[in-house]
Amino acid sequence: PDYALFLDEAARDAAYKHQGDDDAFYAHCPAIAEAKYWGRPLNQKDASGRESWKTGNPSHQMVAYLVGTHVPWGILTNGAVWRLYSREVSSTASEFYEVDLDALFEGLPADSEPSPERLDQFRRWWLFFRRASFGPDAQGKHFVQRVHEGSATYAREISDTLKKLVFEEVMPEIAGGFVAYRYREKRVREEDEETLREIYQ
């Protein structure tokens, strides 16, 4: 990767003693970073020829770096778009937190103030990509780790809610529609186990 990021000079100095031994070196890094040229697409190969020596997909490149270094977090940017990757997600290449700074400040005159919404989005970028977000708090957890865990919990809750909604409300409505159709159009006055299995299929 282009950059190995350290929480402080002591961690950096401890890592430098292990240059050439990747496992020992990157054990001191909470994050790595890969920087591409401004506006370079992050999900596809470079077709411009500007990166003729490295034409791969930057997102896949970041995954390879995270796997190879065993570092928990990776930052990928083209200057305009910033992405935060975690080595612990199920699909590292497609699951990331992204902020588009270029879009955030697009069309903002030099002599004007950004709107409160834009300032909030910028604060979120700063909150996720600052050095302190990768260091442990008083409970030994990192900010990005807490957000990641909260996101996983929220996703489980949403999934459970959707399952309940589908099986308790949506599916009975759909099944009822089949039964009503058969009653009105096919003159089926009573369903039995065999016809219910047919409806289920």
Side-chain angles (χ1 to χ4, degrees):
D2 291 334
Y3 300 96
L5 305 177
F6 302 98
L7 291 175
D8 52 38
E9 290 182 14
R12 181 200 62 196
D13 293 346
Y16 279 173
K17 296 174 189 173
H18 301 286
Q19 284 184 324
D21 179 357
D22 283 355
D23 288 343
F25 178 83
Y26 286 109
H28 297 274
C29 298
I32 55 174
E34 181 70 15
K36 301 299 183 186
Y37 64 80
W38 181 268
R40 192 243 194 263
L42 299 179
N43 286 334
Q44 62 194 41
K45 292 183 177 182
D46 181 29
S48 73
R50 289 180 64 175
E51 290 186 355
S52 56
W53 60 276
K54 192 187 287 182
T55 57
N57 179 325
S59 194
H60 294 164
Q61 186 181 3
M62 177 53 70
V63 173
Y65 288 156
L66 287 172
V67 170
T69 62
H70 305 290
V71 172
W73 300 98
I75 296 171
L76 174 64
T77 183
N78 61 12
V81 175
W82 291 71
R83 288 182 178 175
L84 179 63
Y85 290 79
S86 168
R87 191 169 47 89
E88 297 179 9
V89 299
S90 59
S91 178
T92 308
S94 60
E95 294 180 37
F96 47 80
Y97 175 70
E98 181 177 282
V99 177
D100 187 340
L101 284 182
D102 189 38
L104 182 60
F105 292 106
E106 185 178 30
L108 185 68
D111 58 347
S112 69
E113 290 289 321
S115 68
E117 293 80 16
R118 287 187 182 197
L119 279 174
D120 281 346
Q121 290 175 350
F122 179 77
R123 287 183 187 111
R124 275 194 291 279
W125 171 81
W126 175 81
L127 192 61
F128 276 85
F129 293 92
R130 66 191 174 132
R131 177 175 55 182
S133 295
F134 300 94
D137 58 19
Q139 289 78 37
K141 291 213 172 182
H142 307 193
F143 170 78
V144 288
Q145 183 182 8
R146 286 188 184 280
V147 172
H148 181 260
E149 289 170 359
S151 177
T153 300
Y154 182 70
R156 277 193 304 277
E157 290 171 359
I158 292 291
S159 177
D160 292 345
T161 301
L162 285 175
K163 284 179 190 171
K164 185 175 181 184
L165 182 67
V166 166
F167 287 109
E168 292 181 9
E169 295 183 32
V170 176
M171 289 307 293
E173 287 289 325
I174 293 172
F178 279 109
V179 171
Y181 170 81
R182 289 164 56 81
Y183 183 85
R184 282 197 299 272
E185 302 296 324
K186 295 193 168 188
R187 308 276 186 233
V188 176
R189 295 298 175 231
E190 191 173 331
E191 303 290 354
D192 56 31
E193 273 194 48
E194 186 177 339
T195 62
L196 288 174
R197 270 197 300 271
E198 182 185 344
I199 291 170
Y200 178 82
Q201 291 300 323

